[in-house]
Amino acid sequence: MPPPNPGPHHPGQAAATPAARPERSAHGPLHPLTFELTARQPQPRAALLSNWLRLLSGPRFPINPNWIGETPLVASKALIAALDDKVGDILTWLGPALARRNDADWPLAPAADVLSADLAIVSAPDTEQGWDLRWVELQTFTSLVSLIYTLHRAGAELWPELGERAFWSKPPHGNDWLHATKAWMAPERGSILLEQDPWSQPTRADFEAARHWFGVTVTEPQALRLRAGKLERTDEDGHVHPVPHIANRLILHEAAQADAVKRMLSSATVTWHSHPAWYYRINKGVMSDLPLPQGQRCARGDRWRDLSLPASALVAKACQSYAGKSVLLDPDA
């Protein structure tokens, strides 16, 4: 979700309370179409994988079949309204914290252009609908956008009713998801997707899909050089190409020679999607600053007792982790 205009960053860990029970109604927050489509095709994984391979013209790195969910989730109007409310809250709370900053380390860094928000559907017996939404985490870093889109396309071929139901409102910059997202992630010819050792990453299926849908060149920092303030990349044949725009998936501290990479990127006059500085500015650590209701609040790991809950009722997460890493369930004091 693109924010309009980011909060203080805290190191350490954030702790949150888990919640889970079955929903009260038969459909809960999901539209009845979810269950109609599931009943029609109860074991769709093989067909979805086949569609994936065909859509991407036989990719080198197909998606792991275990990543393919077997239920097409269609949100109810009530769930859409609840999501809109939660998103509105988070943008209000973060507000100016998402704006461009005067930062000597990153003098050319733009405002945040992406906020990935993770919400859980939980049982809420005291509400009329019997369910509610709870914050899990957030960060200003792009998630598996291309992978999700490819799965949606693969699902729409199996269940035509899904069609263009990827969004509940019209995307900006275009009449459909693909054109809107390309204008956001890769607006210029020569745009690259930047990642360390991309074809060794577990998310490489997403990079391959991004290359297919958006025309980006998947690039490592070692292939880049700075000349007169401009970035260039060298391809496998030794040819040099200008780099006008970077769709970033690089977590800077994981890069080889991270300090040198930072110096190069901080001086380059390029445009950005998901600038690397924002990974450190808005992440799970910010959750402890949000004015969440009692029972939903988070705290830094060194302030967990402020929540007035036993340690075993909490989940601890490293603030700069990703992909489910560094999560501690059932911690002790």
Side-chain angles (χ1 to χ4, degrees):
M1 79 191 89
N5 246 327
H9 161 66
H10 297 299
Q13 290 181 317
T17 55
R21 283 184 200 166
E23 288 77 23
R24 176 178 297 171
S25 66
H27 294 140
L30 299 176
H31 190 280
L33 185 61
T34 294
F35 306 93
E36 295 174 22
L37 299 182
T38 301
R40 186 191 310 164
Q41 191 73 254
Q43 294 182 312
R45 185 169 290 160
L48 291 171
L49 178 59
S50 176
N51 289 347
W52 173 286
L53 296 173
R54 184 171 42 77
L55 284 165
L56 298 184
S57 303
R60 283 190 304 158
F61 304 110
I63 187 173
N64 183 334
N66 293 329
W67 290 14
I68 300 177
E70 295 192 288
T71 302
L73 303 177
V74 182
S76 66
K77 289 183 178 180
L79 177 55
I80 290 170
L83 287 167
D84 281 340
D85 287 344
K86 290 291 187 182
V87 170
D89 286 344
I90 203 75
L91 293 177
T92 298
W93 294 335
L94 292 177
L98 296 167
R100 186 186 179 281
R101 300 185 182 185
N102 292 321
D103 184 341
D105 286 341
W106 294 101
L108 304 177
D113 72 316
V114 57
L115 182 63
S116 296
D118 195 350
L119 289 151
I121 302 170
V122 302
S123 172
D126 54 337
T127 67
E128 182 178 350
Q129 57 196 15
W131 58 270
D132 202 354
L133 295 177
R134 295 287 186 271
W135 285 107
V136 176
E137 61 192 44
L138 57 91
Q139 60 186 30
T140 43
F141 189 70
T142 303
S143 195
L144 301 175
V145 171
S146 307
L147 184 146
I148 293 168
Y149 177 66
T150 311
L151 283 176
H152 178 78
R153 288 282 300 269
E157 294 198 3
L158 194 60
W159 296 289
E161 293 92 333
L162 295 179
E164 295 301 317
R165 293 177 187 260
F167 279 89
W168 52 88
S169 59
K170 183 178 178 180
H173 309 304
N175 295 322
D176 60 67
W177 186 95
L178 185 58
H179 287 92
T181 307
K182 189 176 189 307
W184 180 47
M185 291 187 67
E188 297 189 56
R189 184 179 180 86
S191 295
I192 66 168
L193 186 152
L194 184 63
E195 174 61 294
Q196 178 74 31
D197 299 322
W199 305 121
S200 299
Q201 300 287 352
T203 49
R204 60 191 182 180
D206 184 63
F207 306 150
E208 201 161 35
R211 182 170 62 184
H212 176 84
W213 297 117
F214 305 131
V216 293
T217 301
V218 181
T219 305
E220 299 186 63
Q222 295 91 321
L224 299 177
R225 67 178 179 181
L226 188 67
R227 179 180 299 205
K230 304 288 187 179
L231 267 187
E232 298 176 337
R233 70 171 179 87
T234 304
D235 64 22
E236 295 177 352
D237 297 323
H239 299 131
V240 176
H241 307 269
V243 176
H245 178 86
I246 299 176
N248 183 58
R249 292 293 298 272
L250 176 70
I251 297 172
L252 190 59
H253 65 261
E254 295 187 347
Q257 299 180 319
D259 290 341
V261 173
K262 180 178 178 180
R263 287 193 298 271
M264 175 178 62
L265 296 179
S266 65
S267 304
T269 53
V270 296
T271 56
W272 288 90
H273 164 69
S274 191
H275 190 283
W278 285 108
Y279 182 82
Y280 305 98
R281 294 176 179 176
I282 302 290
N283 55 36
K284 299 173 183 65
V286 177
M287 296 292 291
S288 61
D289 299 322
L290 302 183
L292 296 169
Q294 186 67 27
Q296 300 181 35
R297 292 188 298 114
C298 302
R300 287 180 55 189
D302 56 357
R303 300 292 301 272
W304 69 270
R305 290 181 174 86
D306 293 352
L307 299 176
S308 301
L309 291 166
S312 59
L314 304 176
V315 175
K317 301 182 179 185
C319 293
Q320 294 176 10
S321 63
Y322 59 92
K325 297 181 179 179
S326 304
V327 176
L328 182 61
L329 302 176
D330 299 316
D332 57 27

